[in-house]
Amino acid sequence: MYEPYPVPELASEHKKFRYSSLWTFAKQDLRLLAFFLLIASLIGFGIGYFWIFIGIAFAVFFLLQLRSLYLVNDWISNRPYDVPPNLNGIWGALLFNVYRAQRQERIVQAEMVGLIDRAQSSLVALAEAVVLIDEMHQIEWWNPAAQQLLGFQELDRGRNILTILRQPSFIEYFNNLNMAPDGLKMKSSVLEDHYVQVKLTRFGGESRLLVAYDVTRMHNLEQMRKDFVDNISHELRTPLTVLSGYIETFTDQEDLNPRWKRAFDQMQAQTRRMNALVNDLLLLSRLENEKKIAKNQIIEMPSLMNQLYDDAHAYNVDYGHTLNLEIDSHCDLIGSDIELASAFSNLITNAIKYTPKGGTVTIGWHDDGEQGCFTVQDTGIGIDPKHLPRLTERFYRVDSARSRQTGGTGLGLAIVKHVLMQHQAYLEIESKENQGSLFKVIFPKERLYRVS
Ligand code: ADP
């Protein structure tokens, strides 16, 4: 593991060294000066020119200091990386300190360069494409995998990333990273029939790190699963229609033996359930395949809400709940009317189904000027919060037996999620066991149409 160089300790060690040694080295100079003065005073005294010899001693000492200064300057200016000249006294101490600091700095530098080299070579070895993009959206660096997966070439250095990866979905994702926290799957522009998952992360302000990897295998498996479900649902449709036709004919016969009648009623209920399942599977698969943005019809919300309210009354006959309708918005919705109506009605039938008889279900439409909110609140059995994150998965049921009993297919909320995704809307669920549930569908401002 890399251990950072102990720079702070080094600095304090330096400080200590400088103060203790400076005096030691200054003493050498003082001793030399004292020696010169002693010799000069002896000679000067002996021959009667005391002050002249004292002056000569100071001059010699001064010349020696000038020589040292010259050598220090010469080393710093011309040969800073060579071993410094061997000097005594205070100049020696100075040279030693400079040389030492310089060496430590070179060690730290070498370690940093080594670390950068190691980080870079590990990025080079990665099978995932890694690309560094600066604040101006220009490509700074990429690894060889990016060359293979995304087709970058040496000439692309410094080019705007959006002029190389030009798919509209990528441009939209690049300009709005929060739109897809898991990244974006897109067709490779280099390898035919290949798909790459691209993930962008912001760092150091506006710079971005792009990581991409090949997800062709996963994509193909997912496509196989979709095709399989699609085909099997289509294949089941005809036999089911034939079966339910015959069963209906038999059930309608008045002289039917009561024992057989019970059996035919059960067969009819089960074929209805299978029909609902097949229809939901086909709808889900259609929604998944049509990843496109939903249509831009203007949906008159007061009329849709009243329609939903009337349908809810029809469904509510066996349950006897109190139904409320609250409209507190002058906004209509922009989207696909059939799909939104089916998503909303899924939420309403769930609220009615999962509320014990005599409860209250309230359907609402509000906006706060920024977002539009369709709500369905019930006083029903509620949901343990641990189930909430998985609730929109297909076939996920909190209580399978109960769901089957109420005729549920386990696909309702999965369909709701897909319809909402096509409208850039999302579902929020607040619920506690035995304390009812609140399902909120939140639409962005762009999906609202203000009625003047
Ligand atoms: P299902 O066809 O089983 O109703 P959904 O996808 O519509 O399938 O719902 C998934 C599960 O979520 C249901 O099985 C049920 O357990 C739970 N659920 C959905 N809506 C409610 C609700 N309003 N109150 C309590 N549980 C609910």
Side-chain angles (χ1 to χ4, degrees):
M1 209 184 81
Y2 170 71
E3 278 184 26
Y5 200 84
V7 177
E9 284 86 347
L10 182 80
S12 60
E13 187 197 305
H14 251 203
K15 224 172 170 184
K16 263 193 276 161
F17 169 78
R18 212 177 290 146
Y19 285 133
S20 64
S21 66
L22 208 61
W23 176 235
T24 321
F25 284 88
K27 276 198 291 193
Q28 280 182 3
D29 281 339
L30 289 178
R31 256 188 253 122
L32 185 69
L33 181 62
F35 175 71
F36 282 172
L37 289 175
L38 182 70
I39 300 289
S41 57
L42 281 177
I43 300 174
F45 204 65
I47 59 174
Y49 294 104
F50 178 77
W51 288 112
I52 291 179
F53 273 86
I54 290 291
I56 291 173
F58 271 115
V60 171
F61 181 75
F62 182 65
L63 282 175
L64 281 177
Q65 296 302 314
L66 275 184
R67 178 182 163 269
S68 301
L69 180 62
Y70 168 79
L71 289 174
V72 168
N73 181 54
D74 179 51
W75 177 72
I76 289 176
S77 320
N78 303 325
R79 302 171 281 115
Y81 295 109
D82 286 359
V83 179
N86 194 7
L87 292 179
N88 288 325
I90 209 149
W91 292 109
L94 180 78
L95 272 192
F96 181 74
N97 277 341
V98 172
Y99 181 61
R100 209 172 113 104
Q102 211 184 46
R103 257 188 44 183
Q104 302 293 13
E105 200 177 300
R106 260 182 277 154
I107 293 172
V108 173
Q109 234 174 38
E111 289 205 18
M112 293 303 284
V113 170
L115 187 69
I116 293 170
D117 273 354
R118 269 163 44 126
Q120 206 173 34
S121 46
S122 56
L123 289 179
V124 166
L126 270 182
E128 284 84 8
V130 179
V131 184
L132 293 183
I133 304 157
D134 68 14
E135 307 89 49
M136 310 294 293
H137 304 172
Q138 289 166 344
I139 304 171
E140 260 181 331
W141 182 90
W142 63 90
N143 68 350
Q147 226 151 307
Q148 285 158 17
L149 269 182
L150 306 171
F152 288 2
Q153 289 163 9
E154 200 42 51
L155 282 174
D156 295 331
R157 195 177 300 278
R159 271 181 68 188
N160 189 315
I161 180 91
L162 299 179
T163 62
I164 300 174
L165 301 178
R166 280 178 294 186
Q167 288 97 320
S169 56
F170 179 77
I171 296 175
E172 200 186 339
Y173 171 52
F174 190 88
N175 292 325
N176 186 8
L177 294 194
N178 302 337
M179 178 184 102
D182 296 335
L184 171 81
K185 185 165 82 174
M186 57 185 208
K187 228 172 167 207
S188 164
S189 48
V190 199
L191 306 167
E192 215 176 310
D193 294 331
H194 273 249
Y195 288 82
V196 282
Q197 180 78 19
V198 179
K199 174 105 175 73
L200 283 162
T201 314
R202 266 204 188 88
F203 71 97
E206 272 307 301
S207 300
R208 287 170 170 89
L209 173 76
L210 181 150
V211 178
Y213 52 95
D214 196 323
V215 287
T216 313
R217 212 178 107 78
M218 245 159 66
H219 170 85
N220 291 345
L221 284 172
E222 177 80 351
Q223 196 53 48
M224 264 167 65
R225 180 191 63 76
K226 279 182 193 159
D227 290 348
F228 175 75
V229 174
D230 221 15
N231 290 339
I232 214 109
S233 312
H234 273 296
E235 291 302 324
L236 281 173
R237 246 186 162 177
T238 320
L240 267 175
T241 316
V242 175
L243 271 179
S244 43
Y246 278 120
I247 292 168
E248 213 158 296
T249 318
F250 281 120
T251 342
D252 287 349
Q253 279 183 7
E254 277 160 19
D255 56 343
L256 193 67
N257 181 328
R259 265 175 56 206
W260 282 108
K261 170 123 181 64
R262 218 177 131 250
F264 275 113
D265 280 347
Q266 269 185 13
M267 278 193 249
Q268 197 173 34
Q270 291 305 323
T271 41
R272 273 200 195 123
R273 221 172 80 75
M274 274 177 81
N275 244 326
L277 191 63
V278 165
N279 286 338
D280 275 2
L281 277 173
L282 284 171
L283 174 61
L284 198 54
S285 130
R286 188 171 59 77
L287 288 169
E288 270 185 342
N289 287 332
E290 283 176 15
K291 283 250 163 68
K292 63 176 174 46
I293 308 294
K295 280 181 275 178
N296 284 341
Q297 298 171 322
I298 295 177
I299 307 163
E300 284 180 23
M301 280 312 273
S303 109
L304 176 64
M305 292 299 284
N306 278 305
Q307 175 70 45
L308 291 169
Y309 187 57
D310 291 344
D311 293 349
H313 272 292
Y315 191 75
N316 188 37
V317 173
D318 295 338
Y319 295 87
H321 301 315
T322 306
L323 300 182
N324 300 318
L325 177 65
E326 284 174 2
I327 303 178
D328 177 20
S329 165
H330 292 291
C331 286
D332 282 342
L333 261 181
I334 303 173
S336 157
D337 55 356
I338 298 179
E339 279 160 13
L340 281 177
S342 115
F344 292 161
S345 115
N346 254 321
L347 296 177
I348 299 169
T349 43
N350 272 354
I352 296 175
K353 273 190 323 192
Y354 296 109
T355 299
K357 283 187 179 169
T360 306
V361 173
T362 306
I363 313 164
W365 170 241
H366 334 264
D367 78 276
D368 61 2
E370 282 298 310
Q371 294 176 318
C373 186
F374 171 84
T375 54
V376 182
Q377 181 150 31
D378 63 53
T379 53
I381 58 169
I383 305 158
D384 186 333
K386 74 175 183 217
H387 296 290
L388 295 183
R390 298 194 57 194
L391 219 55
T392 53
E393 283 175 21
R394 60 191 75 194
F395 297 118
Y396 189 85
R397 291 153 168 142
V398 175
D399 177 349
S400 306
R402 185 174 200 132
S403 165
R404 244 174 245 125
Q405 222 176 40
T406 53
T409 59
L411 293 171
L413 291 182
I415 291 173
V416 170
K417 186 176 107 178
H418 274 90
V419 171
L420 299 190
M421 259 162 48
Q422 291 190 344
H423 290 81
Q424 298 82 47
Y426 59 93
L427 186 64
E428 264 183 21
I429 310 169
E430 290 168 26
S431 187
K432 276 192 186 139
E433 235 173 338
N434 302 319
Q435 291 183 33
S437 312
L438 171 61
F439 283 72
K440 280 192 204 168
V441 178
I442 313 221
F443 290 90
K445 202 175 181 174
E446 302 76 63
R447 285 273 164 201
L448 301 183
Y449 180 80
R450 194 158 285 281
V451 187
S452 45

